[in-house]
Amino acid sequence: MTADPRAAVSDELGAAQPIIEIRDLVTHYGDREILSGVSLEIQRGEIMVIMGGSGSGKSTLLRHMLRLERPTSGSVRILGREITTMSEFDFYALSRKMGVAFQGGALLSSMTVGENVMLPLRERTSLDPETIRIMMRLKLEVVNLAGFEDLMPAELSGGMIKRAAFARAVAMDPLLLFCDEPSAGLDPVVSRSLDELIVRLRDALGMTIVVVTHELDSAFRIADRITVLDNGEILAIGTVEEVKNSPNDRIQSLLHRRLRETEPDPEEYLARLTGAQKRA
């Protein structure tokens, strides 16, 4: 009988070691600091929601976990391994244990739904074609798209595209699933069904799931814990109730969608208008 890869990871990491560990992460785009000393741990089997307003740094943080960005400084460890310094070959091997559901679905328009789901299996395994087709159908069953494998992406609704993207993301039974704005642009009923799908995937497949979203209702429905980002800083990490009851005014402004009025620094304001650098 084939050993469960999750058990192997558990033995390798140790019972208490987080599956993702981020320490003192700093990122700049030019002179602008996007992440400012972010530290975060994500435990095995949990759904961690990363939320914040536009420009908070949540998408940048996700890109670092996928090694699509390199930090100015700091550490990102996934499955016990430092990904910021590992070779491309080693990260390619590690990424086989990771799935990604992109914001717009990112299905290849020239392929059928089934071909999209089979793509990672064809590219990254040596399974025979019939086994790959069976696995594709199993994953479409999981996301309630059984029988839709021969349709083209253009023939699907927005919610169906998202579900097909989930099927492709979990095609290789990853240990980690990353979801970028899974409910964005969907009506409330479809959004709720996707939230239920995320929880069901975690429960059925035993995955750890990281979700980046600005949708509060969705975050509150699915999260085991929530990380709140604002201006590149972590304001809080906690359960849904802990975040809802936080005394932090910046968090409450985010939750109640209030704009915070801040008094601008006169020198910074003048520098922005003139395009000059602020004098030291």
Side-chain angles (χ1 to χ4, degrees):
M1 184 172 63
T2 303
D4 184 352
R6 289 168 178 77
V9 169
S10 178
D11 292 341
E12 179 183 342
L13 289 178
Q17 188 170 346
I19 198 166
I20 300 176
E21 186 176 6
I22 298 168
R23 288 283 176 265
D24 302 319
L25 197 66
V26 176
T27 300
H28 290 84
Y29 291 164
D31 294 330
R32 184 185 172 204
E33 189 174 66
I34 306 300
L35 297 177
S36 179
V38 167
S39 294
L40 172 66
E41 292 183 355
I42 300 174
Q43 304 301 325
R44 284 168 293 171
E46 78 172 334
I47 299 176
M48 171 65 81
V49 170
I50 300 172
M51 62 181 244
S54 178
S56 62
K58 59 186 185 296
S59 293
T60 300
L61 179 57
L62 175 64
R63 289 174 64 83
H64 279 300
M65 287 187 269
L66 298 173
R67 215 170 89 139
L68 297 174
E69 299 275 0
R70 297 296 180 95
T72 304
S73 61
S75 169
V76 180
R77 296 181 68 84
I78 294 182
L79 299 171
R81 304 189 63 190
E82 177 63 51
I83 69 168
T84 61
T85 56
M86 70 168 44
S87 69
E88 293 293 337
F89 178 83
D90 287 341
F91 183 73
Y92 179 81
L94 181 66
S95 68
R96 291 167 60 93
K97 301 174 183 177
M98 300 157 54
V100 186
F102 295 99
Q103 181 172 346
L107 299 181
L108 298 177
S109 60
S110 60
M111 292 183 173
T112 66
V113 170
E115 289 169 339
N116 269 278
V117 175
M118 290 188 290
L119 183 62
L121 294 166
R122 287 172 169 166
E123 294 289 326
R124 311 191 75 168
T125 76
S126 57
L127 295 171
D128 64 87
E130 185 56 33
T131 299
I132 288 176
R133 291 196 66 81
I134 290 171
M135 292 182 69
M136 173 269 291
R137 293 191 185 102
L138 284 171
K139 294 307 185 289
L140 289 177
E141 288 273 0
V142 169
V143 301
N144 295 324
L145 283 180
F148 289 88
E149 62 262 33
D150 294 327
L151 293 185
M152 302 300 290
E155 299 176 277
L156 303 181
S157 67
M160 293 170 73
I161 288 173
K162 296 270 190 175
R163 283 187 279 152
F166 274 110
R168 184 179 60 186
V170 302
M172 294 184 61
D173 295 323
L175 300 170
L176 273 165
L177 176 62
F178 298 93
C179 307
D180 186 14
E181 299 283 4
S183 302
L186 301 177
D187 67 65
V189 173
V190 176
S191 176
R192 180 178 287 275
S193 71
L194 277 176
D195 293 339
E196 293 171 352
L197 172 60
I198 289 171
V199 175
R200 189 165 71 247
L201 286 172
R202 188 274 305 273
D203 293 344
L205 303 178
M207 293 182 297
T208 302
I209 302 181
V210 180
V211 179
V212 169
T213 185
H214 67 277
E215 301 283 349
L216 297 179
D217 290 341
S218 178
F220 294 157
R221 277 194 292 265
I222 66 176
D224 292 311
R225 290 192 299 151
I226 295 175
T227 297
V228 184
L229 274 176
D230 187 47
N231 292 328
E233 300 176 347
I234 290 182
L235 299 184
I237 303 173
T239 65
V240 171
E241 289 305 312
E242 287 170 342
V243 169
K244 283 183 175 181
N245 296 322
S246 171
N248 187 301
D249 182 64
R250 292 162 71 183
I251 292 177
Q252 291 304 317
S253 293
L254 174 66
L255 297 185
H256 295 93
R257 294 180 170 88
R258 296 195 303 261
L259 290 176
R260 295 193 312 276
E261 295 185 3
T262 57
E263 190 70 25
D265 179 285
E267 196 170 347
E268 287 182 351
Y269 181 63
L270 180 60
R272 286 203 304 271
L273 292 179
T274 62
Q277 296 294 321
K278 181 179 176 181
R279 292 191 297 272

